[in-house]
Amino acid sequence: MESAVNTVNKRVIGYLAEDVWMTLAELNEAIAERVWEINHDIRRADGTTRFERFTEEEATVLSPLPDDVFEQVEWKELKVGRNYHVTADYQHYSVPYALAGRLLRMRLTGTRVTVFDGQQVVAEHLRKMGRKGQYSTDPTHVPHQHRNVSGLWPRTGSSTGHALLAPPPSWSSSRCRTGV
Protein backbone atom coordinates (compact mmCIF):
# COMPACT_ATOMS: atom_id res chain seq x y z
CA MET A 1 0.00 0.00 0.00
CA GLU A 2 2.77 2.44 0.90
CA SER A 3 4.44 1.69 -2.43
CA ALA A 4 1.24 2.60 -4.31
CA VAL A 5 0.94 5.86 -2.36
CA ASN A 6 4.57 6.66 -3.12
CA THR A 7 4.01 5.92 -6.83
CA VAL A 8 0.99 8.25 -6.99
CA ASN A 9 2.88 10.92 -5.07
CA LYS A 10 5.78 10.82 -7.53
CA ARG A 11 3.97 10.10 -10.82
CA VAL A 12 0.84 12.22 -10.35
CA ILE A 13 1.45 14.93 -7.78
CA GLY A 14 5.14 15.31 -8.60
CA TYR A 15 4.58 15.55 -12.37
CA LEU A 16 1.65 17.98 -12.09
CA ALA A 17 2.87 20.15 -9.20
CA GLU A 18 4.13 23.03 -11.37
CA ASP A 19 1.24 23.08 -13.87
CA VAL A 20 -1.76 25.42 -13.73
CA TRP A 21 -5.28 24.53 -14.93
CA MET A 22 -8.15 26.84 -15.65
CA THR A 23 -10.93 24.32 -14.98
CA LEU A 24 -11.49 21.27 -12.82
CA ALA A 25 -12.16 19.23 -15.97
CA GLU A 26 -8.65 20.06 -17.28
CA LEU A 27 -7.08 19.02 -13.97
CA ASN A 28 -9.08 15.76 -13.92
CA GLU A 29 -7.97 15.00 -17.48
CA ALA A 30 -4.30 15.53 -16.55
CA ILE A 31 -4.67 13.27 -13.52
CA ALA A 32 -6.42 10.59 -15.62
CA GLU A 33 -3.51 10.60 -18.09
CA ARG A 34 -1.01 10.08 -15.25
CA VAL A 35 -3.11 7.28 -13.68
CA TRP A 36 -3.43 5.57 -17.10
CA GLU A 37 0.36 5.63 -17.40
CA ILE A 38 0.78 4.10 -13.92
CA ASN A 39 -1.70 1.29 -14.62
CA HIS A 40 -1.05 0.51 -18.31
CA ASP A 41 2.40 1.71 -19.38
CA ILE A 42 4.77 1.17 -16.48
CA ARG A 43 6.11 -2.39 -16.31
CA ARG A 44 6.70 -3.99 -12.95
CA ALA A 45 9.75 -6.12 -12.05
CA ASP A 46 8.01 -9.26 -13.42
CA GLY A 47 7.31 -7.54 -16.77
CA THR A 48 3.56 -7.06 -16.26
CA THR A 49 1.55 -3.90 -15.80
CA ARG A 50 -0.82 -3.27 -12.92
CA PHE A 51 -3.79 -3.56 -15.29
CA GLU A 52 -2.58 -6.91 -16.68
CA ARG A 53 -2.21 -8.34 -13.19
CA PHE A 54 -5.65 -7.06 -12.24
CA THR A 55 -7.36 -8.61 -15.27
CA GLU A 56 -5.55 -11.95 -14.89
CA GLU A 57 -5.69 -12.43 -11.11
CA GLU A 58 -8.44 -10.32 -9.60
CA ALA A 59 -11.12 -9.38 -12.14
CA THR A 60 -12.23 -13.00 -12.63
CA VAL A 61 -13.02 -13.49 -8.92
CA LEU A 62 -14.90 -10.23 -8.38
CA SER A 63 -18.63 -10.52 -7.73
CA PRO A 64 -21.13 -8.13 -9.28
CA LEU A 65 -22.38 -5.28 -7.13
CA PRO A 66 -25.75 -5.88 -5.45
CA ASP A 67 -28.87 -4.48 -7.12
CA ASP A 68 -29.95 -2.74 -3.92
CA VAL A 69 -28.18 0.45 -2.97
CA PHE A 70 -26.47 0.38 0.43
CA GLU A 71 -28.67 2.04 2.98
CA GLN A 72 -27.30 3.50 6.17
CA VAL A 73 -28.89 2.06 9.32
CA GLU A 74 -29.26 3.61 12.75
CA TRP A 75 -30.20 1.50 15.79
CA LYS A 76 -31.97 2.79 18.90
CA GLU A 77 -33.26 1.16 22.04
CA LEU A 78 -36.50 2.83 23.11
CA LYS A 79 -39.22 2.33 25.67
CA VAL A 80 -42.78 1.97 24.38
CA GLY A 81 -45.09 4.68 25.72
CA ARG A 82 -48.46 4.05 27.34
CA ASN A 83 -50.04 5.02 24.04
CA TYR A 84 -48.21 1.98 22.47
CA HIS A 85 -45.95 4.18 20.32
CA VAL A 86 -42.17 4.53 20.27
CA THR A 87 -40.69 7.92 19.47
CA ALA A 88 -37.63 8.42 17.30
CA ASP A 89 -36.49 11.74 15.84
CA TYR A 90 -39.68 13.40 17.15
CA GLN A 91 -41.91 11.00 15.15
CA HIS A 92 -44.17 8.34 16.71
CA TYR A 93 -44.60 4.75 15.49
CA SER A 94 -47.08 2.21 16.84
CA VAL A 95 -46.31 -1.27 18.13
CA PRO A 96 -48.79 -3.89 19.40
CA TYR A 97 -50.44 -2.42 22.52
CA ALA A 98 -49.42 -5.41 24.66
CA LEU A 99 -45.80 -4.15 24.41
CA ALA A 100 -46.50 -0.83 26.17
CA GLY A 101 -43.79 -0.13 28.74
CA ARG A 102 -41.30 -2.57 27.18
CA LEU A 103 -37.81 -1.68 25.99
CA LEU A 104 -37.54 -2.46 22.25
CA ARG A 105 -34.90 -2.05 19.55
CA MET A 106 -35.63 0.13 16.55
CA ARG A 107 -33.85 0.05 13.19
CA LEU A 108 -34.11 3.30 11.22
CA THR A 109 -33.15 3.57 7.57
CA GLY A 110 -33.77 6.45 5.21
CA THR A 111 -37.19 5.08 4.30
CA ARG A 112 -38.29 2.51 6.90
CA VAL A 113 -38.63 2.04 10.65
CA THR A 114 -38.57 -1.54 11.94
CA VAL A 115 -39.22 -2.34 15.61
CA PHE A 116 -37.87 -5.54 17.19
CA ASP A 117 -38.70 -7.38 20.40
CA GLY A 118 -35.56 -9.49 20.71
CA GLN A 119 -35.08 -10.96 17.22
CA GLN A 120 -38.77 -10.76 16.27
CA VAL A 121 -40.09 -7.92 14.09
CA VAL A 122 -43.15 -6.49 15.87
CA ALA A 123 -43.81 -3.43 13.71
CA GLU A 124 -42.71 -1.85 10.47
CA HIS A 125 -43.58 1.63 9.19
CA LEU A 126 -42.55 4.01 6.44
CA ARG A 127 -40.29 6.59 8.05
CA LYS A 128 -41.93 9.92 8.78
CA MET A 129 -40.07 13.04 7.68
CA GLY A 130 -40.78 16.73 7.85
CA ARG A 131 -43.05 18.18 10.50
CA LYS A 132 -42.23 16.93 14.01
CA GLY A 133 -44.76 15.00 16.06
CA GLN A 134 -46.37 12.92 13.31
CA TYR A 135 -47.90 9.54 14.18
CA SER A 136 -47.84 6.35 12.15
CA THR A 137 -50.34 3.95 13.69
CA ASP A 138 -51.19 0.50 12.42
CA PRO A 139 -54.85 -0.20 13.31
CA THR A 140 -53.96 -3.79 14.24
CA HIS A 141 -51.76 -2.43 17.07
CA VAL A 142 -54.72 -0.69 18.75
CA PRO A 143 -56.52 -2.35 21.70
CA HIS A 144 -60.10 -3.43 20.93
CA GLN A 145 -61.61 -0.83 23.28
CA HIS A 146 -59.95 1.99 21.26
CA ARG A 147 -60.92 0.77 17.78
CA ASN A 148 -64.47 2.11 17.65
CA VAL A 149 -64.03 5.28 19.69
CA SER A 150 -65.55 8.11 17.68
CA GLY A 151 -62.91 10.67 16.67
CA LEU A 152 -59.90 8.64 17.89
CA TRP A 153 -58.95 7.63 14.35
CA PRO A 154 -59.30 10.20 11.57
CA ARG A 155 -60.96 9.04 8.37
CA THR A 156 -57.85 9.67 6.28
CA GLY A 157 -54.76 7.58 6.81
CA SER A 158 -51.15 8.61 6.85
CA SER A 159 -48.70 8.01 4.01
CA THR A 160 -48.14 4.50 5.39
CA GLY A 161 -51.77 3.61 4.89
CA HIS A 162 -52.26 3.48 8.65
CA ALA A 163 -54.57 5.79 10.56
CA LEU A 164 -53.13 8.66 12.57
CA LEU A 165 -53.36 8.77 16.35
CA ALA A 166 -55.09 11.79 17.84
CA PRO A 167 -57.24 12.20 20.96
CA PRO A 168 -60.94 12.60 20.27
CA PRO A 169 -62.21 16.20 20.35
CA SER A 170 -64.57 15.30 23.20
CA TRP A 171 -61.63 14.68 25.57
CA SER A 172 -60.81 17.64 27.78
CA SER A 173 -57.24 18.31 28.88
CA SER A 174 -58.21 17.46 32.48
CA ARG A 175 -59.15 13.91 31.41
CA CYS A 176 -55.84 13.30 29.62
CA ARG A 177 -52.96 11.99 31.68
CA THR A 178 -49.51 13.51 31.26
CA GLY A 179 -47.20 11.44 29.07
CA VAL A 180 -50.01 9.58 27.29
Side-chain angles (χ1 to χ4, degrees):
M1 184 64 158
E2 290 178 18
S3 173
V5 171
N6 190 30
T7 300
V8 169
N9 191 29
K10 288 179 182 175
R11 298 227 171 236
V12 176
I13 298 169
Y15 275 62
L16 304 176
E18 302 297 320
D19 295 344
V20 177
W21 296 271
M22 301 311 279
T23 67
L24 183 59
E26 291 174 356
L27 172 61
N28 285 337
E29 185 178 334
I31 292 171
E33 289 173 9
R34 303 306 305 167
V35 170
W36 177 269
E37 178 185 272
I38 292 168
N39 290 328
H40 291 85
D41 297 339
I42 298 175
R43 298 263 168 208
R44 301 168 58 91
D46 62 0
T48 63
T49 66
R50 283 180 165 79
F51 185 75
E52 289 170 348
R53 288 187 83 181
F54 169 76
T55 55
E56 291 171 8
E57 299 173 13
E58 297 176 19
T60 57
V61 295
L62 290 176
S63 300
L65 292 172
D67 292 333
D68 298 330
V69 177
F70 175 78
E71 195 167 25
Q72 189 170 346
V73 174
E74 180 181 357
W75 288 91
K76 294 185 178 203
E77 195 167 52
L78 301 167
K79 187 174 181 179
V80 181
R82 289 183 285 183
N83 67 351
Y84 42 88
H85 284 74
V86 288
T87 302
D89 298 332
Y90 305 102
Q91 309 295 3
H92 312 284
Y93 304 94
S94 69
V95 297
Y97 69 92
L99 298 173
R102 299 273 305 269
L103 195 61
L104 302 178
R105 286 184 325 129
M106 180 183 261
R107 180 180 63 201
L108 296 111
T109 68
T111 58
R112 302 216 49 87
V113 173
T114 308
V115 184
F116 294 85
D117 184 13
Q119 297 298 317
Q120 181 183 3
V121 174
V122 294
E124 193 162 33
H125 298 270
L126 288 178
R127 189 164 183 182
K128 294 285 190 183
M129 298 291 180
R131 183 179 50 83
K132 294 179 181 180
Q134 298 181 75
Y135 281 83
S136 177
T137 302
D138 183 337
T140 63
H141 295 160
V142 179
H144 295 287
Q145 61 270 28
H146 290 179
R147 290 191 182 164
N148 294 323
V149 175
S150 176
L152 184 59
W153 306 110
R155 292 184 197 277
T156 59
S158 68
S159 61
T160 63
H162 301 144
L164 302 174
L165 177 67
S170 60
W171 283 10
S172 66
S173 59
S174 63
R175 290 184 60 192
C176 294
R177 288 186 270 174
T178 306
V180 176

PDB file of all heavy atoms in Angstrom, residues 38-55:
ATOM      1  N   ILE A  38       0.413   4.968 -15.056  1.00  0.00           N
ATOM      2  CA  ILE A  38       0.782   4.104 -13.919  1.00  0.00           C
ATOM      3  C   ILE A  38       0.215   2.699 -14.113  1.00  0.00           C
ATOM      4  O   ILE A  38       0.904   1.703 -13.887  1.00  0.00           O
ATOM      5  CB  ILE A  38       0.280   4.708 -12.591  1.00  0.00           C
ATOM      6  CG1 ILE A  38       1.039   5.989 -12.250  1.00  0.00           C
ATOM      7  CG2 ILE A  38       0.402   3.701 -11.453  1.00  0.00           C
ATOM      8  CD1 ILE A  38       0.415   6.787 -11.112  1.00  0.00           C
ATOM      9  N   ASN A  39      -1.039   2.591 -14.532  1.00  0.00           N
ATOM     10  CA  ASN A  39      -1.703   1.288 -14.620  1.00  0.00           C
ATOM     11  C   ASN A  39      -1.418   0.519 -15.900  1.00  0.00           C
ATOM     12  O   ASN A  39      -1.438  -0.708 -15.886  1.00  0.00           O
ATOM     13  CB  ASN A  39      -3.218   1.465 -14.472  1.00  0.00           C
ATOM     14  CG  ASN A  39      -3.597   1.853 -13.072  1.00  0.00           C
ATOM     15  OD1 ASN A  39      -2.950   1.461 -12.106  1.00  0.00           O
ATOM     16  ND2 ASN A  39      -4.644   2.648 -12.943  1.00  0.00           N
ATOM     17  N   HIS A  40      -1.162   1.203 -17.032  1.00  0.00           N
ATOM     18  CA  HIS A  40      -1.048   0.514 -18.315  1.00  0.00           C
ATOM     19  C   HIS A  40       0.344   0.546 -18.945  1.00  0.00           C
ATOM     20  O   HIS A  40       0.678  -0.343 -19.733  1.00  0.00           O
ATOM     21  CB  HIS A  40      -2.047   1.103 -19.318  1.00  0.00           C
ATOM     22  CG  HIS A  40      -3.468   0.796 -18.973  1.00  0.00           C
ATOM     23  ND1 HIS A  40      -4.202   1.559 -18.100  1.00  0.00           N
ATOM     24  CD2 HIS A  40      -4.282  -0.207 -19.369  1.00  0.00           C
ATOM     25  CE1 HIS A  40      -5.413   1.052 -17.985  1.00  0.00           C
ATOM     26  NE2 HIS A  40      -5.497  -0.024 -18.742  1.00  0.00           N
ATOM     27  N   ASP A  41       1.126   1.557 -18.664  1.00  0.00           N
ATOM     28  CA  ASP A  41       2.397   1.711 -19.381  1.00  0.00           C
ATOM     29  C   ASP A  41       3.611   1.288 -18.574  1.00  0.00           C
ATOM     30  O   ASP A  41       4.587   0.785 -19.144  1.00  0.00           O
ATOM     31  CB  ASP A  41       2.577   3.176 -19.818  1.00  0.00           C
ATOM     32  CG  ASP A  41       1.495   3.614 -20.812  1.00  0.00           C
ATOM     33  OD1 ASP A  41       0.879   2.737 -21.443  1.00  0.00           O
ATOM     34  OD2 ASP A  41       1.266   4.831 -20.930  1.00  0.00           O
ATOM     35  N   ILE A  42       3.595   1.483 -17.302  1.00  0.00           N
ATOM     36  CA  ILE A  42       4.772   1.173 -16.479  1.00  0.00           C
ATOM     37  C   ILE A  42       4.805  -0.334 -16.193  1.00  0.00           C
ATOM     38  O   ILE A  42       3.842  -0.895 -15.674  1.00  0.00           O
ATOM     39  CB  ILE A  42       4.748   1.974 -15.169  1.00  0.00           C
ATOM     40  CG1 ILE A  42       4.803   3.470 -15.468  1.00  0.00           C
ATOM     41  CG2 ILE A  42       5.891   1.547 -14.260  1.00  0.00           C
ATOM     42  CD1 ILE A  42       4.651   4.341 -14.241  1.00  0.00           C
ATOM     43  N   ARG A  43       5.927  -0.955 -16.542  1.00  0.00           N
ATOM     44  CA  ARG A  43       6.109  -2.390 -16.313  1.00  0.00           C
ATOM     45  C   ARG A  43       6.722  -2.619 -14.939  1.00  0.00           C
ATOM     46  O   ARG A  43       7.630  -1.907 -14.512  1.00  0.00           O
ATOM     47  CB  ARG A  43       7.019  -2.990 -17.382  1.00  0.00           C
ATOM     48  CG  ARG A  43       6.478  -2.875 -18.769  1.00  0.00           C
ATOM     49  CD  ARG A  43       5.798  -4.144 -19.167  1.00  0.00           C
ATOM     50  NE  ARG A  43       5.039  -3.939 -20.400  1.00  0.00           N
ATOM     51  CZ  ARG A  43       3.975  -4.629 -20.695  1.00  0.00           C
ATOM     52  NH1 ARG A  43       3.538  -5.555 -19.859  1.00  0.00           N
ATOM     53  NH2 ARG A  43       3.345  -4.427 -21.814  1.00  0.00           N
ATOM     54  N   ARG A  44       6.195  -3.619 -14.285  1.00  0.00           N
ATOM     55  CA  ARG A  44       6.696  -3.988 -12.954  1.00  0.00           C
ATOM     56  C   ARG A  44       7.928  -4.885 -13.118  1.00  0.00           C
ATOM     57  O   ARG A  44       8.312  -5.225 -14.233  1.00  0.00           O
ATOM     58  CB  ARG A  44       5.585  -4.688 -12.182  1.00  0.00           C
ATOM     59  CG  ARG A  44       4.361  -3.782 -12.033  1.00  0.00           C
ATOM     60  CD  ARG A  44       3.151  -4.534 -11.541  1.00  0.00           C
ATOM     61  NE  ARG A  44       3.355  -5.190 -10.264  1.00  0.00           N
ATOM     62  CZ  ARG A  44       3.097  -4.648  -9.083  1.00  0.00           C
ATOM     63  NH1 ARG A  44       2.603  -3.432  -9.019  1.00  0.00           N
ATOM     64  NH2 ARG A  44       3.319  -5.300  -7.968  1.00  0.00           N
ATOM     65  N   ALA A  45       8.535  -5.299 -12.009  1.00  0.00           N
ATOM     66  CA  ALA A  45       9.746  -6.121 -12.046  1.00  0.00           C
ATOM     67  C   ALA A  45       9.518  -7.444 -12.789  1.00  0.00           C
ATOM     68  O   ALA A  45      10.425  -7.953 -13.451  1.00  0.00           O
ATOM     69  CB  ALA A  45      10.228  -6.405 -10.633  1.00  0.00           C
ATOM     70  N   ASP A  46       8.290  -7.990 -12.739  1.00  0.00           N
ATOM     71  CA  ASP A  46       8.015  -9.263 -13.419  1.00  0.00           C
ATOM     72  C   ASP A  46       7.594  -9.068 -14.876  1.00  0.00           C
ATOM     73  O   ASP A  46       7.215 -10.020 -15.559  1.00  0.00           O
ATOM     74  CB  ASP A  46       6.954 -10.057 -12.674  1.00  0.00           C
ATOM     75  CG  ASP A  46       5.602  -9.348 -12.608  1.00  0.00           C
ATOM     76  OD1 ASP A  46       5.476  -8.222 -13.141  1.00  0.00           O
ATOM     77  OD2 ASP A  46       4.660  -9.921 -12.022  1.00  0.00           O
ATOM     78  N   GLY A  47       7.624  -7.825 -15.379  1.00  0.00           N
ATOM     79  CA  GLY A  47       7.310  -7.545 -16.773  1.00  0.00           C
ATOM     80  C   GLY A  47       5.837  -7.274 -17.057  1.00  0.00           C
ATOM     81  O   GLY A  47       5.468  -7.029 -18.201  1.00  0.00           O
ATOM     82  N   THR A  48       4.991  -7.313 -16.059  1.00  0.00           N
ATOM     83  CA  THR A  48       3.563  -7.059 -16.263  1.00  0.00           C
ATOM     84  C   THR A  48       3.206  -5.647 -15.817  1.00  0.00           C
ATOM     85  O   THR A  48       3.945  -5.013 -15.064  1.00  0.00           O
ATOM     86  CB  THR A  48       2.700  -8.046 -15.451  1.00  0.00           C
ATOM     87  OG1 THR A  48       2.962  -7.845 -14.060  1.00  0.00           O
ATOM     88  CG2 THR A  48       2.993  -9.483 -15.828  1.00  0.00           C
ATOM     89  N   THR A  49       2.062  -5.183 -16.277  1.00  0.00           N
ATOM     90  CA  THR A  49       1.545  -3.895 -15.800  1.00  0.00           C
ATOM     91  C   THR A  49       0.535  -4.159 -14.689  1.00  0.00           C
ATOM     92  O   THR A  49       0.049  -5.290 -14.523  1.00  0.00           O
ATOM     93  CB  THR A  49       0.855  -3.120 -16.931  1.00  0.00           C
ATOM     94  OG1 THR A  49      -0.315  -3.836 -17.322  1.00  0.00           O
ATOM     95  CG2 THR A  49       1.769  -2.908 -18.118  1.00  0.00           C
ATOM     96  N   ARG A  50       0.194  -3.134 -13.966  1.00  0.00           N
ATOM     97  CA  ARG A  50      -0.818  -3.271 -12.917  1.00  0.00           C
ATOM     98  C   ARG A  50      -2.155  -3.742 -13.508  1.00  0.00           C
ATOM     99  O   ARG A  50      -2.846  -4.561 -12.945  1.00  0.00           O
ATOM    100  CB  ARG A  50      -1.007  -1.943 -12.184  1.00  0.00           C
ATOM    101  CG  ARG A  50       0.076  -1.617 -11.201  1.00  0.00           C
ATOM    102  CD  ARG A  50      -0.213  -0.275 -10.515  1.00  0.00           C
ATOM    103  NE  ARG A  50       0.616  -0.097  -9.335  1.00  0.00           N
ATOM    104  CZ  ARG A  50       1.879   0.281  -9.361  1.00  0.00           C
ATOM    105  NH1 ARG A  50       2.459   0.534 -10.518  1.00  0.00           N
ATOM    106  NH2 ARG A  50       2.562   0.408  -8.245  1.00  0.00           N
ATOM    107  N   PHE A  51      -2.515  -3.196 -14.668  1.00  0.00           N
ATOM    108  CA  PHE A  51      -3.790  -3.558 -15.289  1.00  0.00           C
ATOM    109  C   PHE A  51      -3.786  -5.021 -15.722  1.00  0.00           C
ATOM    110  O   PHE A  51      -4.777  -5.734 -15.547  1.00  0.00           O
ATOM    111  CB  PHE A  51      -4.082  -2.645 -16.486  1.00  0.00           C
ATOM    112  CG  PHE A  51      -5.429  -2.896 -17.089  1.00  0.00           C
ATOM    113  CD1 PHE A  51      -6.584  -2.454 -16.455  1.00  0.00           C
ATOM    114  CD2 PHE A  51      -5.549  -3.603 -18.273  1.00  0.00           C
ATOM    115  CE1 PHE A  51      -7.827  -2.705 -17.003  1.00  0.00           C
ATOM    116  CE2 PHE A  51      -6.795  -3.853 -18.825  1.00  0.00           C
ATOM    117  CZ  PHE A  51      -7.941  -3.407 -18.187  1.00  0.00           C
ATOM    118  N   GLU A  52      -2.668  -5.500 -16.285  1.00  0.00           N
ATOM    119  CA  GLU A  52      -2.577  -6.915 -16.682  1.00  0.00           C
ATOM    120  C   GLU A  52      -2.732  -7.832 -15.478  1.00  0.00           C
ATOM    121  O   GLU A  52      -3.454  -8.833 -15.543  1.00  0.00           O
ATOM    122  CB  GLU A  52      -1.232  -7.177 -17.374  1.00  0.00           C
ATOM    123  CG  GLU A  52      -1.110  -6.554 -18.750  1.00  0.00           C
ATOM    124  CD  GLU A  52       0.311  -6.618 -19.303  1.00  0.00           C
ATOM    125  OE1 GLU A  52       1.261  -6.934 -18.538  1.00  0.00           O
ATOM    126  OE2 GLU A  52       0.468  -6.336 -20.506  1.00  0.00           O
ATOM    127  N   ARG A  53      -2.089  -7.502 -14.385  1.00  0.00           N
ATOM    128  CA  ARG A  53      -2.207  -8.339 -13.187  1.00  0.00           C
ATOM    129  C   ARG A  53      -3.627  -8.321 -12.648  1.00  0.00           C
ATOM    130  O   ARG A  53      -4.156  -9.332 -12.202  1.00  0.00           O
ATOM    131  CB  ARG A  53      -1.230  -7.872 -12.112  1.00  0.00           C
ATOM    132  CG  ARG A  53       0.205  -8.219 -12.497  1.00  0.00           C
ATOM    133  CD  ARG A  53       1.142  -7.936 -11.403  1.00  0.00           C
ATOM    134  NE  ARG A  53       1.146  -9.053 -10.465  1.00  0.00           N
ATOM    135  CZ  ARG A  53       1.877  -9.067  -9.363  1.00  0.00           C
ATOM    136  NH1 ARG A  53       2.642  -8.043  -9.070  1.00  0.00           N
ATOM    137  NH2 ARG A  53       1.846 -10.097  -8.562  1.00  0.00           N
ATOM    138  N   PHE A  54      -4.268  -7.153 -12.696  1.00  0.00           N
ATOM    139  CA  PHE A  54      -5.652  -7.061 -12.235  1.00  0.00           C
ATOM    140  C   PHE A  54      -6.567  -7.948 -13.081  1.00  0.00           C
ATOM    141  O   PHE A  54      -7.354  -8.730 -12.546  1.00  0.00           O
ATOM    142  CB  PHE A  54      -6.134  -5.610 -12.280  1.00  0.00           C
ATOM    143  CG  PHE A  54      -7.620  -5.481 -12.080  1.00  0.00           C
ATOM    144  CD1 PHE A  54      -8.174  -5.629 -10.816  1.00  0.00           C
ATOM    145  CD2 PHE A  54      -8.458  -5.242 -13.153  1.00  0.00           C
ATOM    146  CE1 PHE A  54      -9.542  -5.537 -10.626  1.00  0.00           C
ATOM    147  CE2 PHE A  54      -9.825  -5.145 -12.982  1.00  0.00           C
ATOM    148  CZ  PHE A  54     -10.372  -5.297 -11.718  1.00  0.00           C
ATOM    149  N   THR A  55      -6.456  -7.837 -14.406  1.00  0.00           N
ATOM    150  CA  THR A  55      -7.357  -8.613 -15.268  1.00  0.00           C
ATOM    151  C   THR A  55      -7.102 -10.114 -15.173  1.00  0.00           C
ATOM    152  O   THR A  55      -8.036 -10.908 -15.268  1.00  0.00           O
ATOM    153  CB  THR A  55      -7.259  -8.168 -16.744  1.00  0.00           C
ATOM    154  OG1 THR A  55      -5.914  -8.243 -17.169  1.00  0.00           O
ATOM    155  CG2 THR A  55      -7.800  -6.768 -16.927  1.00  0.00           C
TER     156      THR A  55
END
